[in-house]
Structure formats: structure tokens, C-alpha cells
Amino acid sequence: MRAAGLSMPSPPWSRPAPAASQVFGPAPPSISRAPGTTVHAQIEDWLAELISVGRLAPGDRMPTEQDLAAWLEVSRMTLRHALASLARRGLVTRTVGRRGGTFVAESKLEQDLTTLAGFSEQLRRHGMVAGARVLSAAERPAGPVAATALEVAEGSPLYEVRRVRLGDGRPIALEHSLFPAATFPGLLGCRLDGSLYELLEANYGQRPSRARESLEPVTAGVREAEALDVKEGAALMLVERTAYTDEGTPVEFARDLFRGDRTRLVMWTSELPARL
């Protein structure tokens, strides 16, 4: 029962869609129809920019397709193309039915690949609560790829840890990490639902300090989709990583899958110190 004098804010889907002029102002943006550009791409870029600068906040309900298309003076098919592209990028969510509509999605988590920081530390920087759900933890022999990366003999014992990483309780990444058993004896007997890098430092004095990482866009298979709570075929980013200590010893070989709709990978670059 609701307490007297108190009112709870209604969820965004229970409120009617606002008029385009209320959200964006009286005049639509200028749209070029010159050769070499498409109308839907310009609308996509315009809406993406408004989301980026916070003019459209996470959870905001957007105007109806009919109203927004009329305000922009474009066809509904053109507008749908733009909204579909935004949905694929994870910037908006679209639902159908009586309570359906287009809503601004939650902000993406930025993963800075310039410095080696554990997933838990990255989430804390964004004010999010980090968590992990352990799917499996077992010993296995090193295959040729992992053996080369970790500089151990093929068949050497490795500890394999598979986890779903959570941000505020929601799946963000699927981790698959391999550690040399000789370097971390008893690792599988430790709690594995927190930061593994902090665990390696606290129990073994072997915190990774640098890494070689490669990125590859992939799509979710059945098992990945189930673990990450996405549709089969959803866009994912595969990050393959070999992590090293200060002394240059490889201590982790990992293949992590990040949800494309919830993460953005960032790198800082600089000019070479001397021109060749």
C-alpha cells in the first residue's frame, strides 16, 4: 500500500511518448540530401550525439516514430533505419506492444586498454559494483596456443577459470582465463568471485603490470548468448590477452567476450618518439 502523501515516479514505459518538439525544440536539424550521404545516417549521427552529450539521458522515452518522422520531414522507413542502427550500437532499446517504444539505453562502460587494470577496478572507476559468477574452475593441460603464450611446455598443468563478469548485477563480459599452475599453486582453492588480479597480488605477489591484447569483433553463439543474457548473433568484442609481470613473466592467457551494447573499448595513442 502506498503511504499517504507519497507518490512513486512512474516507469518510463507507463508515460506517453513526448512530442518531438518538446524534446528537440521547434526546428529540426538540417539534413543534407546531396550525393555521397544518406538521410538515415545523418539522423543516426544526430541522435547519437545528443545521447553522448546527455541531452537524451538513459531511460528517456523518445517520441513515437510517426511524430519524429513527421517533425524531421522524412519517411518512417528512413527513421526506422536510423533507429535500428542505434539499437545495434546499443544506444537505444526498442520494444513492441502496448507499452512499446524507443528508449535511450544505459551508458556504456568504457574499458581503457591503454593501462592494465582489472575489470573490478575499471567498474569501480565508473561507480559501479563489480561482481563475478564462476561458471567453472578446473585444471587442464596446456594446449599449443596457451603453452606458447605462457611460455610453458605443451601439456603443462594450467588452471582454467571461466566467469561471467557483472556490473551492478548485470552481465557485461564472459571471461576465460588460464594461469600456470606451477606459478599459482592452490589457486583453485581460493575464492574466485572477486578480482583475480588482486588475488594474484595478495596471495602470490604476482600482479600483472602489462599485457599484449588483440581485439576482434565476433557474434554470440548459443552458449555465449545464454551466459551474457543477449540474443544469439548479438555483437560481441573478443579481447585476447597475455598478461605479464614487471619482470616480463607471462602469468595469464585470456580470451574475454564483452557485450557490444554495454561496453566501449578505449585506447590512447601518441606519435612515435622519432620519425623513421
Side-chain angles (χ1 to χ4, degrees):
M1 180 179 293
R2 184 177 300 174
L6 296 178
S7 62
M8 299 295 290
S10 57
W13 57 83
S14 68
R15 299 191 293 268
S21 58
Q22 287 181 303
V23 178
F24 304 114
S30 175
I31 296 178
S32 172
R33 287 172 170 80
T37 184
T38 60
V39 172
H40 67 80
Q42 293 176 70
I43 295 173
E44 177 189 349
D45 291 342
W46 169 66
L47 289 172
E49 183 176 357
L50 294 181
I51 293 171
S52 176
V53 300
R55 282 278 305 278
L56 294 172
D60 280 356
R61 184 170 194 165
M62 296 180 61
T64 65
E65 287 183 1
Q66 181 178 0
D67 179 45
L68 185 53
W71 183 77
L72 290 167
E73 298 181 347
V74 300
S75 69
R76 289 185 68 177
M77 184 64 69
T78 296
L79 179 63
R80 284 176 182 171
H81 197 161
L83 294 177
S85 295
L86 290 171
R88 285 193 295 269
R89 293 169 59 182
L91 297 179
V92 302
T93 59
R94 307 181 73 197
T95 58
V96 297
R98 187 169 59 88
R99 295 184 175 182
T102 301
F103 302 87
V104 179
E106 294 181 25
S107 300
K108 291 189 177 185
L109 168 70
E110 287 194 349
Q111 287 284 101
D112 188 353
L113 299 183
T114 310
T115 58
L116 183 61
F119 185 86
S120 298
E121 183 178 344
Q122 295 268 16
L123 261 65
R124 286 195 290 266
R125 291 176 183 176
H126 288 270
M128 300 175 70
V129 177
R133 183 167 70 247
V134 180
L135 300 178
S136 63
E139 183 178 314
R140 54 161 280 190
V145 175
T148 300
L150 292 171
E151 299 178 6
V152 298
E154 192 171 339
S156 297
L158 302 179
Y159 290 143
E160 179 183 59
V161 180
R162 295 178 182 268
R163 308 189 302 172
V164 175
R165 297 311 309 268
L166 310 172
D168 289 341
R170 297 181 59 192
I172 291 181
L174 182 60
E175 285 185 345
H176 177 203
S177 297
L178 295 169
F179 304 94
T183 306
F184 305 110
L187 177 65
L188 299 185
C190 301
R191 286 195 59 173
L192 302 175
D193 57 355
S195 169
L196 293 183
Y197 282 7
E198 292 175 2
L199 173 64
L200 299 184
E201 181 179 31
N203 289 18
Y204 304 95
Q206 297 274 19
R207 184 183 179 93
S209 61
R210 62 185 180 89
R212 180 188 183 277
E213 296 180 302
S214 61
L215 284 64
E216 180 182 352
V218 296
T219 56
V222 175
R223 293 183 179 179
E224 294 85 6
E226 182 180 3
L228 292 172
D229 193 23
V230 297
K231 294 181 180 179
E232 186 178 354
L236 305 176
M237 181 61 73
L238 169 63
V239 179
E240 184 175 283
R241 176 179 63 259
T242 303
Y244 301 83
T245 64
D246 282 332
E247 295 75 24
T249 303
V251 291
E252 179 198 30
F253 177 65
R255 292 171 61 87
D256 299 340
L257 290 169
F258 289 87
R259 284 179 52 163
D261 63 337
R262 297 209 63 199
T263 53
R264 177 185 291 112
L265 302 179
V266 178
M267 290 183 288
W268 290 82
T269 59
S270 59
E271 190 177 29
L272 290 173
R275 295 184 182 272
L276 298 178

